[in-house]
Amino acid sequence: MRHRWGRYTAVGAALVAFTSAVPAQADPADPFTGSSGLGDPYYPMDGNGGYDATHYDVTIAYDPPTQQLRGSTRIEAVATQALRTFNLDFNGPPISKVTVNNLPAWFDRRDEHELVVTPTLPLLPGLAFTVQVEYAGPVTGSDGEGWVLSPSGGAFVAGEPHSATSWYPLNDTPLDKATFTLHATVPQEWEVMSNGSKVRDVVQGPDRTVDFEMRQPVIGYLTTVAVDRFEFLEQRRANGTPLLSAFAPDALQAKEMELRLPEILDFQEELYGPYPFDVAGGIYVDTELQFSLETQSRPIYAPWTELDTVVHEITHQWWGDSLSVKQWSDICLNECFASYTADYLWPERKEGADVDGQYRETLAKYRDDPKFWENALQNPGVGKEFTSVYYRGPLFLHALRRTLGDAIFFPAIHEFANAHRYGNASMPEFRKFLQSKTTQDLTGFLAAWLDRTEPPADEYLYPGSLRS
Ligand SMILES: [Zn+2]
């Protein structure tokens, strides 16, 4: 994600999202009840215990004039314990029916997004099962947490860390990745975009049905559906990877910038290893959205997006989408890398920018500004995930690079990204990994940059070539 005011400014520093974290609830003592949350330190009720989702097959019909959504989602999962009852996360339209293994199931909706399901027959550990949920009603969600309406009358889904629950039930946690298929029906004059390969686009009578397949595992907030009067751009990378991008009516001017996508992917691949997905592209909306978002294989770009934001969101395909956080306190793995790549590495390698000069200038400006240092990079706190990682994250990685030297830094981050491909990683793991790559003791450096809320000492602030 990159906020419109993502760089450090008075406005940026004030951008602290309101949070609605619900305190963890004690689960019933019943050992056959899957837990209703996974205890993320920021969002304890996100995700659910007792099963592992392996595939989502989402069928929706959306009618732009009435904003009505009809959905039928099939979840394939494997029970990891005996289950009499388990939860899904969903806060979309009213539910008419839930079945488990094709038998009617009892269900109840609680709190912000808990859907409690009790199958007719208990589920046995290690066995696969399917859940089908039918629902219909008007779309819900405000800016940043679900559905967003577009000027043409279309709509799309965007939000981090929550948004998927507004359109399909799921295990909404970075820890449970699954493959994803979408079948979307809209009035035939509308177009549909989503993640992965577009495998069908058929007009039948008044309806258009479009199917997408995301064949690599994906997390909820990285899935999207967008319905608009799109124009498309098809490209192909030199290695054959197909690129499909869409532009809302007032976003057509972005087409020229999107022509650089193959070049951006080549640039990232050299840094971080093979592009993780089998297709790529972008969705350029024309709604006054305050953020762009790294939705998997196809980021959503707000109208103010310039090339640096495209580089940022494409970096997330490695840092955030393929390698994902274990907990939201690990957010620096996503945003520090996306910001460093877009703000330092691209300008340095593509435009010959003096990045040491840029680093020193930034510090000269903000070293004595306490607000600049007030949120730690690792574990910044709930509601503060999207603050310092943007403006101090790049400084941290640049200082780390000058501490380790290019010969260690670049192979190391390449190795880390690939070691966690399609998986999860944490900041503590990243710190341990970095220490394993050098004989220098990094303890002081990493604590000063990642844990403290004051400027690091000069030895950590100006290592290597930064010492003037
Ligand atoms: Zn970002």
Side-chain angles (χ1 to χ4, degrees):
M1 172 184 277
R2 177 170 215 161
H3 208 275
R4 181 171 197 165
W5 313 109
R7 288 203 176 125
Y8 185 77
T9 59
V11 182
L15 262 180
V16 175
F18 291 100
T19 164
S20 50
V22 179
Q25 293 170 344
D27 279 301
D30 183 355
F32 306 116
T33 296
S35 75
S36 56
L38 292 177
D40 181 277
Y42 298 177
Y43 306 103
M45 297 304 288
D46 285 7
N48 307 286
Y51 64 93
D52 172 22
T54 54
H55 183 71
Y56 295 95
D57 189 280
V58 179
T59 303
I60 60 165
Y62 182 68
D63 182 48
T66 60
Q67 295 167 20
Q68 289 288 312
L69 176 74
R70 198 155 35 79
S72 174
T73 291
R74 195 180 83 239
I75 302 157
E76 294 169 18
V78 176
T80 54
Q81 65 175 75
L83 286 172
R84 238 191 314 255
T85 294
F86 63 91
N87 281 28
L88 291 164
D89 298 306
F90 185 58
N91 61 7
I95 295 172
S96 57
K97 188 173 149 194
V98 177
T99 61
V100 176
N101 293 334
N102 298 315
L103 296 172
W106 178 88
F107 67 92
D108 187 23
R109 301 182 75 166
R110 287 182 200 156
D111 305 325
E112 246 186 298
H113 53 62
E114 296 302 320
L115 169 58
V116 182
V117 178
T118 305
T120 310
L121 300 171
L123 302 169
L124 298 176
L127 292 191
F129 65 98
T130 60
V131 188
Q132 183 102 23
V133 183
E134 320 272 340
Y135 45 97
V139 298
T140 52
S142 53
D143 191 14
E145 289 272 294
W147 288 91
V148 182
L149 300 178
S150 70
S152 66
F156 60 93
V157 176
E160 179 184 3
H162 308 117
S163 56
T165 51
S166 68
W167 65 294
Y168 65 98
L170 76 157
N171 194 20
D172 197 15
T173 164
L175 295 171
D176 193 359
K177 299 187 175 195
T179 50
F180 184 88
T181 305
L182 172 68
H183 319 273
T185 299
V186 292
Q188 58 109 352
E189 64 274 23
W190 294 86
E191 305 282 354
V192 180
M193 268 300 251
S194 183
N195 316 90
S197 304
K198 182 166 154 176
V199 292
R200 185 167 75 126
D201 188 338
V202 182
V203 171
Q204 211 167 28
D207 293 334
R208 174 189 301 278
T209 298
V210 188
D211 293 353
F212 281 89
E213 278 179 16
M214 185 72 242
R215 299 184 188 105
Q216 289 79 34
V218 62
I219 300 171
Y221 80 94
L222 297 172
T223 60
T224 189
V225 61
V227 176
D228 214 317
R229 299 188 191 265
F230 288 126
E231 267 191 32
F232 293 102
L233 170 67
E234 284 186 59
Q235 305 181 77
R236 205 166 268 280
R237 293 187 67 193
N239 71 2
T241 303
L243 312 179
L244 176 66
S245 305
F247 305 83
D250 274 337
L252 299 181
Q253 75 290 343
K255 253 189 197 179
E256 208 181 307
M257 182 166 67
E258 187 71 351
L259 290 171
R260 295 188 73 177
L261 181 56
E263 178 192 354
I264 296 169
L265 289 164
D266 290 349
F267 173 80
Q268 309 270 11
E269 202 160 74
E270 212 164 286
L271 288 166
Y272 304 129
Y275 175 66
F277 309 116
D278 49 15
V279 298
I283 304 171
Y284 288 82
V285 299
D286 57 8
T287 304
E288 267 314 306
L289 194 65
Q290 296 306 311
F291 59 89
S292 291
L293 184 63
E294 61 269 24
T295 35
Q296 191 156 301
S297 76
R298 263 185 214 102
I300 291 172
Y301 296 115
W304 45 266
T305 293
E306 289 180 14
L307 191 68
D308 58 343
T309 297
V310 179
V311 176
H312 179 111
E313 304 307 344
I314 298 299
T315 307
H316 276 309
Q317 303 305 309
W318 284 261
W319 297 93
D321 294 21
S322 174
L323 176 162
S324 306
V325 296
K326 279 192 170 163
Q327 301 187 320
W328 288 101
S329 49
D330 299 318
I331 189 69
C332 180
L333 285 177
N334 295 11
E335 302 301 343
C336 295
F337 278 94
S339 299
Y340 185 57
T341 308
D343 301 351
Y344 278 71
L345 298 178
W346 179 275
E348 178 185 23
R349 296 187 173 190
K350 289 285 182 179
E351 294 150 9
D354 165 20
V355 287
D356 279 359
Q358 182 181 322
Y359 174 96
R360 283 197 205 92
E361 245 170 69
T362 307
L363 277 178
K365 227 164 154 181
Y366 299 117
R367 187 180 174 160
D368 299 322
D369 178 352
K371 278 197 87 65
F372 189 79
W373 304 95
E374 73 180 354
N375 299 318
L377 282 179
Q378 181 175 326
N379 196 6
V382 63
K384 297 175 190 164
E385 302 95 305
F386 303 105
T387 58
S388 56
V389 285
Y390 295 106
Y391 47 82
R392 230 166 58 237
L395 299 181
F396 156 61
L397 286 175
H398 197 59
L400 175 66
R401 173 180 164 192
R402 292 300 184 230
T403 299
L404 297 175
D406 283 6
I408 292 180
F409 176 80
F410 285 109
I413 57 176
H414 184 287
E415 185 187 332
F416 193 77
N418 281 278
H420 299 280
R421 202 170 157 88
Y422 308 130
N424 300 83
S426 70
M427 283 298 285
E429 285 166 2
F430 182 56
R431 290 164 79 145
K432 223 187 231 172
F433 171 83
L434 288 172
Q435 187 57 75
S436 76
K437 294 291 157 190
T438 176
T439 52
Q440 294 180 68
D441 184 357
L442 296 176
T443 314
F445 174 90
L446 293 174
W449 275 102
L450 297 175
D451 303 330
R452 307 254 160 78
T453 52
E454 63 197 5
D458 274 4
E459 59 176 311
Y460 304 133
L461 220 41
Y462 299 106
S465 63
L466 291 166
R467 206 171 292 131
S468 47

